[in-house]
Structure formats: structure tokens, C-alpha cells
Amino acid sequence: MSTRTLMLVLATGALVAGCGGQIGQNNDTPAQTGGATPANKNLDLVVGVKNEPFYISMQCGAEAAAKEAGYTITTQAPDKFDPTLQAPIVTALGAKKPAALLIAPTDDKTMAPQMKQIKDMGVKVIEVDTALQDTGIAVSSISSDNAQGGRLAAQTMAKLTSGKTGSVLVLDTKAGTSTTAARAKGFEEELKNSAPNLKSIGIQFTENEPSVAAQKVTAAISSTPDLVGVFATNLNTGEGAATGLRSAGKVGQVQLVGFDASPSEVEGLRAGAFQALIAQDPGMIGRTGVQQAIAAVEGKSVQRNISAPLVALTKEDMDKKAEFFYKTKC
Ligand code: T6T
């Protein structure tokens, strides 16, 4: 597969994602007031999990945008991508009452009560990355077009396996994670179109634990002799899948398409453990989240849904796209 073809496919995808992202659709919030300077310029960001390059990169973008606008932003994170650990953080913000809360909900249903409670206190709620099923709480949601990302991964897998017949494993994280669920679904649907010779052996959950992802890959290799590919829907599943392929000596034989671009994934791509990565732009998600939060706080118009770009990385072109590599510190 030529880099040019892959870049084209994904460039088109990113564009589509950009345009298809419901920008300017009917549920935007028009300007309320003349944009008066608010007394409360404190923002809070609650990400999905601590010490994870995707959310660190998002935090960097958010902090830069807040600083530019003269707002303060405090970032908090649960130790694990888990609503039982994230909910108390949101509840505690009730006492502090920031002007706005930017949050990546760790479950698309069970985080709704806490987010509704803080909204009812007059705090503007902005979803960054993941989102709730209930669209009546947030005033704006900024995320990659994850279904499109899954479709692009399937098109990439089709090209990488170039007409081979065989099975593909899909690794999702935790049920209720809006982003990775959309990627897995988009992948499975597109596989039928772009690679009818490939069949999915189903979506398996990894609890967002790399060790579980490695086990799932090892098990699939022994149970499915015609396994030709693995789609890992996020950073942790990707890192685990690469470990599983390495320990089974299947690197390069079983094609691995990952999502995200952590330092470990980027090195894995360079070393041939991954054949492609679909990278997001977490910095843009953080920056745009803060801009929408400030617009909401100042009574200016707010866009309800915004899509962030996706880009594909291959071994050949990765260094030309190094700006998409995720950070480990700001
Ligand atoms: O893939 C990202 C994020 O988009 C997803 O919602 C959860 O997992 C990551 O943070 C990567 O681990």
C-alpha cells in the first residue's frame, strides 16, 4: 500500500470527519448576552485517567488556551478509567462551583447524575473526547469522529492484508466508553464493505488494561489459525496487543492497526509491531473545549458538536507527522 494512497484515504476521512462533524447544525447555542466579562474565570478539567499521553496532550492544549484567555484551569483525573473513581471528583466540584467543567465521562450512562447535578448549579458542562448518551447536559461536545476512525482502520486493514482471506480480532476497552465503542462498530461495519474476505471474530473487551489485551491476542492466536489482523481501539489496547504479538513471535505476520500515538505506540510503529496508527489531535480537543467553555460562560454562541481531525501514521510517513505524536508532559 503506497503511503500516498493511505494519506489520501485518511486525508479524505479527516476532511469528511471535519465537515460531517455537525458543525453549525441546529442545536448550537446562539449568543445570550453581549459577552460581558464574568467574575468567575475558573475552569475545571476532569479527564478519563491519570498519567496517560492522550489526556496529558489534551491538558496541554486546554491549559494553553485558558492562559491565552486569562482564565485558570485545574485538571484532575481518576487513577483508573472508572466512573466509580471519577464520580466523586465531579461531586466535590459542587462546593468549588467553577464557571465551567470540561469532562471526559468514563461511562456514557453512569456519569450522567453527577454531571447533571453540577449543570443544575449553573456550571457550564463541556464534553471533551468521550460523551454521555444523554445529550441534554453538555452545551458542547468535542471529539474525534470515532466511527469514521474505525472505518478508516478497516480500510487500512483491508489494504495491509491485500486480499488475503482470514480472521480479524477487534479489541475494545470498557463497555460504556462512547469513543472506542464507535471505533469498534465503525470498523466492523466497514470491514464487510472493504474486505469481505476478512471476517471479524468479534469485539472483545480489555477493561482498558494492556495485560488483558495481550492475553486476548495470545488466546486468539492459538484459537484462530487464520488470524491475519488485530484492530486495537485505543492506546492501552494497542500497547497490550503489541506485547501479545511479540511474545507469540507474530510481529509483522499478524497486521496490527492501532488507535492513538503514545510514545510506546510510535516506537512500536517504527519497530514494525504496528503497521498503522490512527492518531487523534488531543491538543485541539483540549484547546477547543476551553474556547467553547469560555464562549458559554461569556454568553457567546457555542457549537454543540465539533469533530477533531484524525490522521494515519505509517512507518514511511510518521516523521513527517510528528506533531501528532502524543506528549508525556506539557
Ligand atoms: O483513545 C483515547 C480516548 O480517545 C478514549 O476515549 C479513551 O482511550 C484513550 O484515552 C487512549 O487510552
Side-chain angles (χ1 to χ4, degrees):
M1 169 180 55
S2 74
T3 314
R4 181 156 159 58
T5 330
L6 182 59
M7 281 169 71
L8 263 178
V9 168
L10 290 141
T12 326
L15 273 173
V16 172
C19 303
Q22 299 145 354
I23 294 178
Q25 286 222 341
N26 52 24
N27 47 18
D28 293 351
T29 311
Q32 313 292 316
T33 65
T37 306
N40 182 353
K41 287 188 158 189
N42 302 315
L43 309 176
D44 266 84
L45 169 61
V46 179
V47 299
V49 63
K50 215 169 252 171
N51 305 327
E52 202 248 58
F54 174 83
Y55 289 119
I56 292 170
S57 305
M58 181 197 286
Q59 179 183 351
C60 300
E63 287 177 352
K67 191 157 179 250
E68 261 163 48
Y71 278 69
T72 69
I73 188 161
T74 310
T75 301
Q76 297 181 81
D79 292 342
K80 278 185 170 298
F81 194 94
D82 183 339
T84 63
L85 301 176
Q86 191 183 45
I89 297 174
V90 177
T91 305
L93 286 175
K96 183 182 172 198
K97 255 193 116 229
L101 165 65
L102 292 83
I103 180 165
T106 50
D107 187 278
D108 58 5
K109 278 204 290 290
T110 56
M111 281 304 297
Q114 288 78 16
M115 290 169 64
K116 182 163 184 334
Q117 194 179 38
I118 205 145
K119 175 202 172 215
D120 293 345
M121 292 177 182
V123 176
K124 303 293 182 189
V125 174
I126 287 85
E127 292 167 331
V128 281
D129 181 42
T130 47
L132 295 176
Q133 290 184 17
D134 180 346
T135 59
I137 297 174
V139 293
S140 185
S141 302
I142 302 99
S143 182
S144 303
D145 184 331
N146 293 290
Q148 176 63 23
R151 288 192 288 273
L152 294 171
Q155 290 153 6
T156 310
M157 185 65 81
K159 290 199 170 70
L160 287 168
T161 52
S162 48
K164 257 196 232 149
T165 297
S167 298
V168 173
L169 169 67
V170 180
L171 293 175
D172 193 347
T173 58
K174 297 182 76 157
T177 308
S178 62
T179 49
T180 55
R183 294 165 198 169
K185 187 163 174 289
F187 180 90
E188 293 236 310
E189 283 163 3
E190 181 60 25
L191 201 65
K192 296 192 186 89
N193 306 333
S194 54
N197 49 305
L198 297 180
K199 75 177 185 319
S200 166
I201 58 174
I203 298 171
Q204 299 188 14
F205 289 94
T206 66
E207 294 315 306
N208 209 29
E209 294 294 341
S211 59
V212 178
Q215 285 158 16
K216 298 278 182 191
V217 166
T218 312
I221 286 169
S222 53
S223 67
T224 316
D226 69 344
L227 186 74
V228 293
V230 175
F231 172 45
T233 57
N234 87 333
L235 187 160
N236 295 308
T237 53
E239 292 177 4
T243 306
L245 291 177
R246 279 191 206 100
S247 54
K250 291 283 185 181
V251 164
Q253 292 170 47
V254 174
Q255 306 297 302
L256 177 56
V257 177
F259 222 92
D260 296 307
S262 68
S264 158
E265 286 180 299
V266 166
E267 280 332 297
L269 182 65
R270 211 181 289 289
F274 289 86
Q275 280 60 52
L277 292 174
I278 315 280
Q280 307 185 69
D281 188 348
M284 179 270 186
I285 295 174
R287 240 185 350 269
T288 308
V290 164
Q291 289 156 356
Q292 292 300 306
I294 292 172
V297 168
E298 297 185 355
K300 296 176 182 149
S301 76
V302 175
Q303 287 166 265
R304 183 64 191 83
N305 291 295
I306 299 175
S307 276
L310 292 167
V311 67
L313 307 175
T314 63
K315 191 170 178 173
E316 298 80 32
D317 66 8
M318 59 191 295
D319 291 320
K320 287 197 238 59
K321 300 173 184 174
E323 77 265 24
F324 285 93
F325 296 176
Y326 296 175
K327 301 174 194 285
T328 53
K329 60 181 176 0
C330 296

